[in-house]
Amino acid sequence: MKKKSILKKGYGWINERFKIDDLINFMKKKEVPLYHGTIWYYFGGISLLLFIIQVVTGMLLLLYYKGSAELAFESVQFISAKVKFGWLIRSIHSWSANLMVLAAFIHMFSVFFTKAYKKPRELTWYSGFILLALAMAFGFTGYLLPWNELSLFATKVGTDIPKAIPLIGGFIMNILRGGEEVTGSTLSRFFGFHVALLPGIFTLVLTMHLIFIQRQGMSAPENWDELPEKNKKKIPFFPNFLLRDLLIWLIIINVLSVLAVFFPWELGVKADELAPAPAGIKPEWYFLFMFQTLKIIPSQILVMDGEVFGVLLFSIAGLLWFLVPLWDRKTKTGEKRYWLTYAGIFAIIYIIIFTIIGFIAK
Amino acid sequence: MIEVPEYTGKKSRRDFLNYVLSIGFFGWIGAILYPLYSYLVPPKSPDVDTSNISIGKESEMENNSSKMFKIGNKPGILIKTNEGELKALSATCTHLDCTVQFKKDENLIWCACHNGKYDLNGINISGPPPKPLTKFNVVVQKDEIYVQK
Amino acid sequence: MIIRKKNNRIFILLILLVINPAIIFSQEIESKDACFNCHGILEGRLKTPSDMYKSDIHFRKGIACSACHGGDSKEEDQDKSMSKTAGFIGIPRGLQVSKICAKCHSKEFETLSKSVHGQSSTGSGLIINNCITCHGVHNIIPVKSPGSKVNGANIVSTCAGCHSNASLMKNYNPGLKVDQLDKYKTSVHGQKVFSGDSKAANCASCHGNHDVKKVNDLNSKVYISNIPTTCNKCHGDANYMKEYKIPTDQYEKFKKSVHGVALLEKGDVNAPSCNKCHGDHGASPPEVESISKVCGTCHVLNSQLFQESPHKPAFDKEKIHECSACHNNHDISTPTDEMLGSGEKSVCIKCHKQNDKGFETAVKMKFMIDSLQKDVELANYFINAAEQKGMDVSDAKFESNDIKKVLITSRTSSHYADLEKYINTINEGFKITSKAKLEGEEAVKEYYFRRLGLGISTIFITIICVTLYLKLRKIEKKQKT
């Protein structure tokens, strides 16, 4: 009984000042549709959890990491070897980064297939897409920070691609690299992006994304409105869905620890800017499908340079994907369009296949 | 709704569940806080600065003596000359990578492997070494000796 | 006597005519080269060239004075023969001399120009880029003739004429030593040459003749890594060396040796070439008793320890070659631990027999170094195991640098042939290996600690998950009612 009164007292104290009663009441009413696709609702939360983990482990790493070309590698080695549990924090950070991008992709595709981007949730979709892009940017910039051989060359290859953009490509590459080549200046720049610029923008966009979701509630599947009332199974967000979320979160945290212990992230060899590239340099897996696609495009397509064509292709595809709420409207007769679903399936299969090819290829 | 007291059985089970949950929860918090705390405490090993190594106290070093230290992953040698001057050099012989030593009586640096000799500035003066030893900067602050690359 | 008869007069006339041609003929040999003839009848300084020239090979080949001095050797009139219009240049000065020889001997001159002698010529003073400095002038005879200044027997004096003259050499290279001749006289080569054996090496045999280069010139025959090939030119030729009865396989052996590989394959110019141990100008094999001192110029500790060891007096007494008795001389290979002890490859058993003190010491030493070696391997094993498990072992690896040092020190101290000193050194080694082993073991322990920690937190998480799940079910049940 005493516990309750403390909580109630605390709540009363805040309520007196901020009048959150109606907010709380509103949120209490939030419900989550229960159907075969409910499982996909969790992935947004999973992405959020992983982001929080990234922020926490990232801040801890910042205590010991040194962002200059002379000291970066040694500082990461120091963290992994000498700092107590530094190995754990570092490996969790690296694994969580990959899992976060994976979860974000799954989340996006599940939203796509359940058509949750439709009115009134267009902005949620746009902000979500931006969040995905930012997450990949996080991954790209973070990958360079240990300053080992693999990351140096992956960054070289990765920053070479914008060069293909006509007119402004060289300028963009210069801005990214902090110069013509990937050097210590690139490292400083990427460090700034990774710990300051990107987190700032990400937090803003994430906050908006979350506010949108809380305000609008969970989206229901397409045929929800047609169902009779008694078949509309729902569970309250508080506490049911939240507890389930928590369960999954705990399991994921454990999974991360297991990964960190059994598959620790390797350190590699310190980057040497003067050394030639080792054979078979690849970017991280979430870029592989694009990388592999660019590799198989012939060097000349009609009048265009092959790489330019590839970049253009992906840009257009990305743009169309981004704008899907705009042009996925039901036809006047209310027929459902299946071709979009097929396009989505095609995208997933394409990504998976090319990622696998990217892994296997030498 | 009138609250009917539940069966003792169920109630004890609920309490038991909460009890276990609390234990689990606090245990888990502990399993998180303990590594966190250990992480925040700076480790005893010198920090990763490969360019600034703390060697020890100047007052504790005698004239005409030497001390070996580690810089990066390589050995280094710190010498305090007869006149009290501090010199720090790489201790890897430039001939075939043996570790050199300070020879007090001859006031020079000597490599036992093939009788290579260096003066106290690291210049190779006799024997096979083809190059001088790399010099490092020595800085003394408040009696603490620091060696920088 | 009055020659009355007409026939007799004709006879005498005929005879005179016959004799005359000889005179006329010889006068015609002389008179073909008017310069030679004319100068031949002059006096003093002007006569000397003609006198000398009689023995010159150029004269015997019919080359006239004008070939070098210009002018017209057919003209007897001095004004015409020594006129500028006829190309007369008088006594050639400075670099002109060699250019004149080069008119025919162009190849040699080109080689000479690129040599150190050619490069050091400055155009004033004694021109060392000057054919006549070594070959002489007006009396040049073939190299093979015993009187030639550049013949094997004489060339040493010719070279020494400048190279032993300190005040002369000062003008060209003050740092260059001038004791070559003195050293040479003590050498085996020198002794043979001065006693008439021209097969032995002289200055040109090693340094070249026209193509002498500075010692530190990579193309010089006596550049440190070229010396073995130069020496081998004679010393490897079994036929040539037949009468001297010394082995001719030194180069083959040296090529395979530690020093040979270092010098010829790895390019370490601090590795000894033939001259480092044998001397160059004073080339001779070191005396039996001085071998350890020679080796000791680089291998100081080994030499010192040996000289303080009981082996030294024993070796000297039996005239056993120091160092090379165990390590060989030309084919020195990397020493192994097998050289100690009583095994097949041991060098100790060459002299020591079972049950004598030396034998027992050798066996004990081998045992100790083997134990240390095993410990080193164990330490390395732990360190590698930890590294493969992903643990950091940079500290342990740094310590193991010292292991290398201690192994070297132990092996060196075996030269003292004293068990106690050896044991002390080996024990230092054990200290280091145990430290490295400890660090390796620590790393492995850490590896298992992590798994333990993981297990513990997994247990707690599982407890929470299970209870959460149960609580959830409970709540939902309650909600349904």
Side-chain angles (χ1 to χ4, degrees), chain B residues 18 21 70 95 114-115 128, chain C residues 268 270 298 300 395 461 467 471:
Chain B
N18 283 347
L21 198 63
K70 184 170 118 155
H95 179 222
H114 299 100
N115 200 22
Chain C
D268 180 0
N270 292 303
C298 292
V300 179
D395 271 347
I461 288 192
T467 45
K471 202 167 178 88

Side-chain angles (χ1 to χ4, degrees), chain A residues 93-304:
Chain A
H93 193 82
S94 305
W95 272 112
S96 172
N98 284 284
L99 290 183
M100 178 172 130
V101 174
L102 182 66
F105 263 104
I106 295 176
H107 179 55
M108 176 191 76
F109 275 115
S110 70
V111 167
F112 181 84
F113 286 116
T114 56
K115 299 203 189 294
Y117 52 77
K118 290 231 290 272
K119 180 172 171 183
R121 292 185 174 83
E122 301 96 325
L123 279 183
T124 320
W125 169 265
Y126 295 143
S127 54
F129 190 88
I130 293 176
L131 286 174
L132 178 65
L134 287 174
M136 291 171 79
F138 262 120
F140 187 66
T141 50
Y143 196 58
L144 180 66
L145 297 186
W147 198 245
N148 57 25
E149 194 183 44
L150 227 58
S151 58
L152 178 74
F153 287 107
T155 309
K156 259 198 194 156
V157 167
T159 47
D160 257 337
I161 295 178
K163 215 170 32 174
I165 301 174
L167 294 174
I168 53 169
F171 173 72
I172 290 183
M173 193 190 76
N174 221 0
I175 297 279
L176 279 178
R177 282 187 179 177
E180 281 298 311
E181 294 294 328
V182 175
T183 58
S185 317
T186 320
L187 182 64
S188 318
R189 213 159 259 249
F190 274 28
F191 186 43
F193 291 153
H194 190 82
V195 305
L197 189 68
L198 288 173
I201 302 178
F202 196 93
T203 309
L204 284 172
V205 182
L206 180 66
T207 311
M208 287 183 354
H209 191 81
L210 290 173
I211 290 178
F212 296 154
I213 296 171
Q214 290 309 315
R215 189 77 184 97
Q216 296 179 318
M218 303 298 252
S219 73
E222 276 203 293
N223 60 349
W224 191 253
D225 296 324
E226 297 156 12
L227 283 175
E229 204 55 44
K230 65 176 170 77
N231 284 9
K232 285 189 191 170
K233 290 208 196 112
K234 291 180 266 195
I235 53 171
F237 192 82
F238 297 96
N240 303 49
F241 192 75
L242 196 63
L243 282 179
R244 288 168 191 234
D245 236 352
L246 210 62
L247 199 62
I248 292 184
W249 285 19
L250 281 171
I251 293 176
I252 288 187
I253 291 177
N254 205 31
V255 165
L256 276 175
S257 312
V258 169
L259 287 171
V261 172
F262 286 102
F263 303 101
W265 212 259
E266 70 160 20
L267 200 58
V269 178
K270 183 167 181 173
D272 180 1
E273 296 168 55
L274 302 169
I281 283 292
K282 292 184 238 230
E284 267 294 76
W285 66 269
Y286 38 89
F287 289 113
L288 263 181
F289 71 96
M290 284 190 265
F291 181 66
Q292 196 59 30
T293 311
L294 283 175
K295 272 195 3 191
I296 64 164
I297 291 180
S299 55
Q300 195 72 17
I301 295 210
L302 301 173
V303 291
M304 261 196 285

